[in-house]
Amino acid sequence: MSKKFGLLVIVIVMLSLLAACGSGKNSKAPASDPTPGVFIGTTSQGMDFILEVGNTPDGLAVTSVKYKVKVTGDGFSATIDYVQALECQMLVKDGRFSGEVNLNGEDAPAQFSGAFFNDNRVEGRFKQVKVHPQGYGEATADVTFSADRSE
């Protein structure tokens, strides 16, 4: 009887360990489509970041971003503050999005990508290039961001 009890204890412990695999608090949930709304957070540079999601005729999409970013390069650096939201349409599929955001002026579009988690968080990255207006070269930023749903 003690062998059966010992075996039963081992089986219970093994099942408990298997059930716990992947269920820790640090495991990231899979990306999922959010409901429309506004997400507010910061960039890896510590600057403000706002992203809006809405329904469009083509489906769920990131419809605008508003942020501040520091670009650096040989010869100059600049901090750019987009005080008005930049409209865009980056479709969301399986909780993920990527695309371009046209910037004011003659600069190349910023390249964005990201993912939504648990309908209340978005994390991603954007890359931006700024050409100096007097021809002193260009400055770039490669920035990550995270934002939570605004209530």
PDB file of all heavy atoms in Angstrom, residues 76-95:
ATOM      1  N   PHE A  76      23.601  66.943 -36.399  1.00  0.00           N
ATOM      2  CA  PHE A  76      22.492  67.584 -35.694  1.00  0.00           C
ATOM      3  C   PHE A  76      21.604  66.564 -35.010  1.00  0.00           C
ATOM      4  O   PHE A  76      21.638  65.374 -35.303  1.00  0.00           O
ATOM      5  CB  PHE A  76      21.670  68.470 -36.642  1.00  0.00           C
ATOM      6  CG  PHE A  76      20.591  67.762 -37.408  1.00  0.00           C
ATOM      7  CD1 PHE A  76      19.262  67.868 -37.012  1.00  0.00           C
ATOM      8  CD2 PHE A  76      20.881  67.010 -38.536  1.00  0.00           C
ATOM      9  CE1 PHE A  76      18.265  67.233 -37.723  1.00  0.00           C
ATOM     10  CE2 PHE A  76      19.876  66.379 -39.246  1.00  0.00           C
ATOM     11  CZ  PHE A  76      18.568  66.491 -38.847  1.00  0.00           C
ATOM     12  N   SER A  77      20.815  67.072 -34.067  1.00  0.00           N
ATOM     13  CA  SER A  77      19.752  66.294 -33.430  1.00  0.00           C
ATOM     14  C   SER A  77      18.578  67.235 -33.223  1.00  0.00           C
ATOM     15  O   SER A  77      18.744  68.450 -33.219  1.00  0.00           O
ATOM     16  CB  SER A  77      20.215  65.694 -32.100  1.00  0.00           C
ATOM     17  OG  SER A  77      20.476  66.705 -31.166  1.00  0.00           O
ATOM     18  N   ALA A  78      17.414  66.668 -33.090  1.00  0.00           N
ATOM     19  CA  ALA A  78      16.216  67.487 -32.907  1.00  0.00           C
ATOM     20  C   ALA A  78      15.172  66.701 -32.136  1.00  0.00           C
ATOM     21  O   ALA A  78      15.116  65.478 -32.220  1.00  0.00           O
ATOM     22  CB  ALA A  78      15.646  67.900 -34.262  1.00  0.00           C
ATOM     23  N   THR A  79      14.347  67.419 -31.382  1.00  0.00           N
ATOM     24  CA  THR A  79      13.187  66.821 -30.731  1.00  0.00           C
ATOM     25  C   THR A  79      11.960  67.314 -31.475  1.00  0.00           C
ATOM     26  O   THR A  79      11.755  68.514 -31.625  1.00  0.00           O
ATOM     27  CB  THR A  79      13.120  67.213 -29.243  1.00  0.00           C
ATOM     28  OG1 THR A  79      14.308  66.740 -28.606  1.00  0.00           O
ATOM     29  CG2 THR A  79      11.904  66.595 -28.574  1.00  0.00           C
ATOM     30  N   ILE A  80      11.171  66.368 -31.956  1.00  0.00           N
ATOM     31  CA  ILE A  80       9.986  66.693 -32.751  1.00  0.00           C
ATOM     32  C   ILE A  80       8.756  66.372 -31.915  1.00  0.00           C
ATOM     33  O   ILE A  80       8.614  65.260 -31.405  1.00  0.00           O
ATOM     34  CB  ILE A  80       9.965  65.881 -34.060  1.00  0.00           C
ATOM     35  CG1 ILE A  80      11.272  66.095 -34.828  1.00  0.00           C
ATOM     36  CG2 ILE A  80       8.767  66.258 -34.906  1.00  0.00           C
ATOM     37  CD1 ILE A  80      11.500  65.082 -35.925  1.00  0.00           C
ATOM     38  N   ASP A  81       7.875  67.345 -31.781  1.00  0.00           N
ATOM     39  CA  ASP A  81       6.655  67.186 -30.995  1.00  0.00           C
ATOM     40  C   ASP A  81       5.462  67.331 -31.932  1.00  0.00           C
ATOM     41  O   ASP A  81       5.155  68.422 -32.400  1.00  0.00           O
ATOM     42  CB  ASP A  81       6.604  68.247 -29.900  1.00  0.00           C
ATOM     43  CG  ASP A  81       5.480  68.014 -28.907  1.00  0.00           C
ATOM     44  OD1 ASP A  81       4.700  67.051 -29.081  1.00  0.00           O
ATOM     45  OD2 ASP A  81       5.380  68.807 -27.953  1.00  0.00           O
ATOM     46  N   TYR A  82       4.827  66.201 -32.242  1.00  0.00           N
ATOM     47  CA  TYR A  82       3.626  66.243 -33.078  1.00  0.00           C
ATOM     48  C   TYR A  82       2.451  66.590 -32.160  1.00  0.00           C
ATOM     49  O   TYR A  82       1.922  65.732 -31.477  1.00  0.00           O
ATOM     50  CB  TYR A  82       3.420  64.907 -33.787  1.00  0.00           C
ATOM     51  CG  TYR A  82       4.538  64.614 -34.765  1.00  0.00           C
ATOM     52  CD1 TYR A  82       5.554  63.731 -34.440  1.00  0.00           C
ATOM     53  CD2 TYR A  82       4.601  65.260 -35.989  1.00  0.00           C
ATOM     54  CE1 TYR A  82       6.591  63.482 -35.325  1.00  0.00           C
ATOM     55  CE2 TYR A  82       5.635  65.021 -36.879  1.00  0.00           C
ATOM     56  CZ  TYR A  82       6.629  64.126 -36.533  1.00  0.00           C
ATOM     57  OH  TYR A  82       7.665  63.893 -37.408  1.00  0.00           O
ATOM     58  N   VAL A  83       2.086  67.873 -32.143  1.00  0.00           N
ATOM     59  CA  VAL A  83       1.056  68.340 -31.209  1.00  0.00           C
ATOM     60  C   VAL A  83      -0.343  67.974 -31.670  1.00  0.00           C
ATOM     61  O   VAL A  83      -1.276  67.976 -30.882  1.00  0.00           O
ATOM     62  CB  VAL A  83       1.162  69.866 -30.962  1.00  0.00           C
ATOM     63  CG1 VAL A  83       2.461  70.187 -30.248  1.00  0.00           C
ATOM     64  CG2 VAL A  83       1.057  70.649 -32.254  1.00  0.00           C
ATOM     65  N   GLN A  84      -0.497  67.670 -32.942  1.00  0.00           N
ATOM     66  CA  GLN A  84      -1.769  67.171 -33.457  1.00  0.00           C
ATOM     67  C   GLN A  84      -1.567  65.724 -33.879  1.00  0.00           C
ATOM     68  O   GLN A  84      -0.492  65.350 -34.368  1.00  0.00           O
ATOM     69  CB  GLN A  84      -2.245  67.999 -34.642  1.00  0.00           C
ATOM     70  CG  GLN A  84      -2.620  69.408 -34.268  1.00  0.00           C
ATOM     71  CD  GLN A  84      -3.179  70.177 -35.456  1.00  0.00           C
ATOM     72  OE1 GLN A  84      -2.989  69.809 -36.607  1.00  0.00           O
ATOM     73  NE2 GLN A  84      -3.873  71.256 -35.166  1.00  0.00           N
ATOM     74  N   ALA A  85      -2.586  64.918 -33.716  1.00  0.00           N
ATOM     75  CA  ALA A  85      -2.492  63.505 -34.083  1.00  0.00           C
ATOM     76  C   ALA A  85      -2.225  63.367 -35.577  1.00  0.00           C
ATOM     77  O   ALA A  85      -2.754  64.124 -36.392  1.00  0.00           O
ATOM     78  CB  ALA A  85      -3.782  62.785 -33.704  1.00  0.00           C
ATOM     79  N   LEU A  86      -1.384  62.408 -35.919  1.00  0.00           N
ATOM     80  CA  LEU A  86      -1.092  62.089 -37.315  1.00  0.00           C
ATOM     81  C   LEU A  86      -2.036  60.978 -37.748  1.00  0.00           C
ATOM     82  O   LEU A  86      -2.014  59.882 -37.176  1.00  0.00           O
ATOM     83  CB  LEU A  86       0.365  61.635 -37.453  1.00  0.00           C
ATOM     84  CG  LEU A  86       1.419  62.650 -37.037  1.00  0.00           C
ATOM     85  CD1 LEU A  86       2.778  61.977 -36.908  1.00  0.00           C
ATOM     86  CD2 LEU A  86       1.465  63.794 -38.032  1.00  0.00           C
ATOM     87  N   GLU A  87      -2.871  61.254 -38.726  1.00  0.00           N
ATOM     88  CA  GLU A  87      -3.835  60.255 -39.184  1.00  0.00           C
ATOM     89  C   GLU A  87      -3.133  59.175 -39.994  1.00  0.00           C
ATOM     90  O   GLU A  87      -2.150  59.430 -40.696  1.00  0.00           O
ATOM     91  CB  GLU A  87      -4.931  60.916 -40.012  1.00  0.00           C
ATOM     92  CG  GLU A  87      -5.814  61.835 -39.189  1.00  0.00           C
ATOM     93  CD  GLU A  87      -6.952  62.432 -40.001  1.00  0.00           C
ATOM     94  OE1 GLU A  87      -7.130  62.057 -41.175  1.00  0.00           O
ATOM     95  OE2 GLU A  87      -7.662  63.271 -39.440  1.00  0.00           O
ATOM     96  N   CYS A  88      -3.636  57.962 -39.867  1.00  0.00           N
ATOM     97  CA  CYS A  88      -3.074  56.827 -40.595  1.00  0.00           C
ATOM     98  C   CYS A  88      -4.144  55.745 -40.696  1.00  0.00           C
ATOM     99  O   CYS A  88      -5.246  55.905 -40.168  1.00  0.00           O
ATOM    100  CB  CYS A  88      -1.839  56.285 -39.880  1.00  0.00           C
ATOM    101  SG  CYS A  88      -2.143  55.780 -38.178  1.00  0.00           S
ATOM    102  N   GLN A  89      -3.809  54.662 -41.365  1.00  0.00           N
ATOM    103  CA  GLN A  89      -4.692  53.508 -41.394  1.00  0.00           C
ATOM    104  C   GLN A  89      -3.832  52.252 -41.478  1.00  0.00           C
ATOM    105  O   GLN A  89      -3.505  51.776 -42.557  1.00  0.00           O
ATOM    106  CB  GLN A  89      -5.683  53.540 -42.554  1.00  0.00           C
ATOM    107  CG  GLN A  89      -6.661  52.374 -42.472  1.00  0.00           C
ATOM    108  CD  GLN A  89      -7.804  52.490 -43.442  1.00  0.00           C
ATOM    109  OE1 GLN A  89      -8.259  53.578 -43.740  1.00  0.00           O
ATOM    110  NE2 GLN A  89      -8.283  51.368 -43.928  1.00  0.00           N
ATOM    111  N   MET A  90      -3.455  51.755 -40.306  1.00  0.00           N
ATOM    112  CA  MET A  90      -2.691  50.520 -40.216  1.00  0.00           C
ATOM    113  C   MET A  90      -3.641  49.433 -39.722  1.00  0.00           C
ATOM    114  O   MET A  90      -4.054  49.443 -38.563  1.00  0.00           O
ATOM    115  CB  MET A  90      -1.516  50.692 -39.262  1.00  0.00           C
ATOM    116  CG  MET A  90      -0.484  51.688 -39.766  1.00  0.00           C
ATOM    117  SD  MET A  90       0.924  51.894 -38.659  1.00  0.00           S
ATOM    118  CE  MET A  90       0.216  53.004 -37.416  1.00  0.00           C
ATOM    119  N   LEU A  91      -4.025  48.526 -40.618  1.00  0.00           N
ATOM    120  CA  LEU A  91      -4.995  47.492 -40.278  1.00  0.00           C
ATOM    121  C   LEU A  91      -4.461  46.559 -39.202  1.00  0.00           C
ATOM    122  O   LEU A  91      -3.268  46.235 -39.182  1.00  0.00           O
ATOM    123  CB  LEU A  91      -5.380  46.695 -41.518  1.00  0.00           C
ATOM    124  CG  LEU A  91      -6.118  47.491 -42.597  1.00  0.00           C
ATOM    125  CD1 LEU A  91      -6.395  46.610 -43.810  1.00  0.00           C
ATOM    126  CD2 LEU A  91      -7.415  48.068 -42.052  1.00  0.00           C
ATOM    127  N   VAL A  92      -5.355  46.157 -38.296  1.00  0.00           N
ATOM    128  CA  VAL A  92      -5.019  45.244 -37.210  1.00  0.00           C
ATOM    129  C   VAL A  92      -5.507  43.856 -37.606  1.00  0.00           C
ATOM    130  O   VAL A  92      -6.681  43.672 -37.934  1.00  0.00           O
ATOM    131  CB  VAL A  92      -5.678  45.686 -35.885  1.00  0.00           C
ATOM    132  CG1 VAL A  92      -5.374  44.689 -34.774  1.00  0.00           C
ATOM    133  CG2 VAL A  92      -5.247  47.091 -35.508  1.00  0.00           C
ATOM    134  N   LYS A  93      -4.599  42.897 -37.585  1.00  0.00           N
ATOM    135  CA  LYS A  93      -4.957  41.508 -37.901  1.00  0.00           C
ATOM    136  C   LYS A  93      -4.329  40.605 -36.852  1.00  0.00           C
ATOM    137  O   LYS A  93      -3.117  40.675 -36.621  1.00  0.00           O
ATOM    138  CB  LYS A  93      -4.465  41.132 -39.292  1.00  0.00           C
ATOM    139  CG  LYS A  93      -4.832  39.721 -39.656  1.00  0.00           C
ATOM    140  CD  LYS A  93      -4.486  39.402 -41.081  1.00  0.00           C
ATOM    141  CE  LYS A  93      -4.705  37.920 -41.246  1.00  0.00           C
ATOM    142  NZ  LYS A  93      -5.337  37.456 -42.315  1.00  0.00           N
ATOM    143  N   ASP A  94      -5.153  39.790 -36.230  1.00  0.00           N
ATOM    144  CA  ASP A  94      -4.692  38.895 -35.165  1.00  0.00           C
ATOM    145  C   ASP A  94      -3.919  39.656 -34.086  1.00  0.00           C
ATOM    146  O   ASP A  94      -2.920  39.175 -33.553  1.00  0.00           O
ATOM    147  CB  ASP A  94      -3.819  37.773 -35.744  1.00  0.00           C
ATOM    148  CG  ASP A  94      -4.588  36.891 -36.722  1.00  0.00           C
ATOM    149  OD1 ASP A  94      -5.801  36.688 -36.495  1.00  0.00           O
ATOM    150  OD2 ASP A  94      -3.981  36.436 -37.706  1.00  0.00           O
ATOM    151  N   GLY A  95      -4.377  40.878 -33.790  1.00  0.00           N
ATOM    152  CA  GLY A  95      -3.789  41.673 -32.729  1.00  0.00           C
ATOM    153  C   GLY A  95      -2.520  42.412 -33.110  1.00  0.00           C
ATOM    154  O   GLY A  95      -1.928  43.089 -32.280  1.00  0.00           O
TER     155      GLY A  95
END
